[in-house]
Every structure is written in C-alpha cells, then in structure tokens.
Amino acid sequence: MTLLEAAAAAFVASGVEAPVRDIAARAGVGTATIYRHFPTRADLIIAVYRHQVEACAEAGPALSTSAPTPYDALREWIDLFVDFLTTKHGLAAALHSDQAGFDTLHTYFLDRLVPVCTRLLDAASEAGEIHARPTAYELMRGVGNLCIGAEHDPGYDARRLVGFLIAGLR
C-alpha cells in the first residue's frame, strides 16, 4: 500500500485528523518518512486529494474500454465518483481554512473530472443509451448534492439515491 493510499484509508476510517502514526503503520513506514514527504497535515491532505482525483480521472477512459456499454461505463464511473465524495470526512472543513488552497484544489478537481464525465455522457448519448442530457457539471453537482448527509447518517445510502438519478437519464 502506498503512503497516499494508506493516508486515504486512514482518512476514511478516522477523518483527516487521523494520527500520523496510524497512517505510518498502514503504510509500513516510520512517521519521519511521512513528515519528510509531507511537512504539514495540509500537504498530506492535498496530496491524497490530488491522488484520488487522478485515480477517478484515469478510471473514465479505462471504463470506456472495459465496460459492456457506454451507459455501464458512465454508471460505474459515477459509482467511483460517489465513493470519492463520500469518503472525504472533514476534508472540506480542513481545506476551507485556506480559501486560496481550496479554490486551487476545486479548480483542479473540475479541470480533471468534468472532461472525463463529459466524454462518458457523450458516448452514452451517442449510443442512444441516455436521453436526458445534463451537462457533466450539472450531473456532478447533482451527484454531489445527493452525497451530502452520507457522512453523518450511516443509514443514508448515497450510491442508491445516485443510482436513481443515473437511471433517470435513460
């Protein structure tokens, strides 16, 4: 498990305030290794966030070639996007303390993920598999809004609700 994957897993389990020693133990390294690469907690949080955005961005093209249909690729990518959004315990609060840093990350998020979602929507639309055609940004905002609340309510199933939204595109 890479250091960033270990940190992401710790953040999912304990939030962004997870102890560095727990992250180090998951990664099989010493705490000094973490501090050498990420001098501050904010540096680590930003690196994890960017790593996960990249993983989500790279999944789009891979799903386009491996999923049985363009609609399936879109649906599977949206599931990954939901997982990405619902595992950010405390991330927004941590990032909002540095508005300039938050704005930069938000722009990065949009620049990397909106084009991926657009390509998936275009492919499903061109294949005649979806008829309602929101923009990628509209769809991502809708998905994001449905994910609000998942962090505080263990009975809230964001993926199920988003599934209804995606089914509605057909």
Side-chain angles (χ1 to χ4, degrees):
M1 176 178 291
T2 70
L3 182 59
L4 293 177
E5 290 166 347
F11 293 167
V12 167
S14 306
V16 295
E17 295 302 321
V20 172
R21 69 182 173 279
D22 292 355
I23 296 168
R26 284 178 188 263
V29 299
T31 56
T33 299
I34 293 176
Y35 287 118
R36 186 170 39 259
H37 293 283
F38 308 102
T40 68
R41 181 171 296 274
D43 293 332
L44 179 60
I45 292 168
I46 290 167
V48 167
Y49 182 86
R50 285 179 170 270
H51 178 72
Q52 291 183 320
V53 167
E54 283 305 312
C56 199
E58 291 168 6
L63 289 169
S64 292
T65 59
S66 67
T69 69
Y71 176 80
D72 289 328
L74 174 65
R75 186 184 44 74
E76 290 177 37
W77 187 82
I78 290 293
D79 283 346
L80 293 173
F81 184 61
V82 168
D83 293 345
F84 168 77
L85 294 175
T86 58
T87 58
K88 300 295 167 261
H89 301 299
L91 181 63
L95 293 176
H96 274 297
S97 63
D98 172 14
Q99 191 60 44
F102 177 79
D103 291 344
T104 301
L105 277 179
H106 186 67
T107 299
Y108 174 75
F109 168 88
L110 293 175
D111 288 349
R112 289 296 291 139
L113 298 183
V114 168
V116 173
C117 188
T118 297
R119 286 190 290 281
L120 292 166
L121 278 167
D122 288 347
S125 181
E126 290 167 10
E129 295 181 313
I130 62 171
H131 301 290
R133 182 56 170 88
T135 67
Y137 182 76
E138 290 169 334
L139 179 60
M140 291 170 66
R141 280 297 296 249
V143 168
N145 287 338
L146 287 172
C147 291
I148 295 171
E151 182 177 335
H152 302 291
D153 182 354
Y156 187 90
D157 188 348
R159 193 183 264 204
R160 178 176 155 77
L161 292 175
V162 169
F164 294 137
L165 173 66
I166 299 305
L169 296 175
R170 296 193 107 172

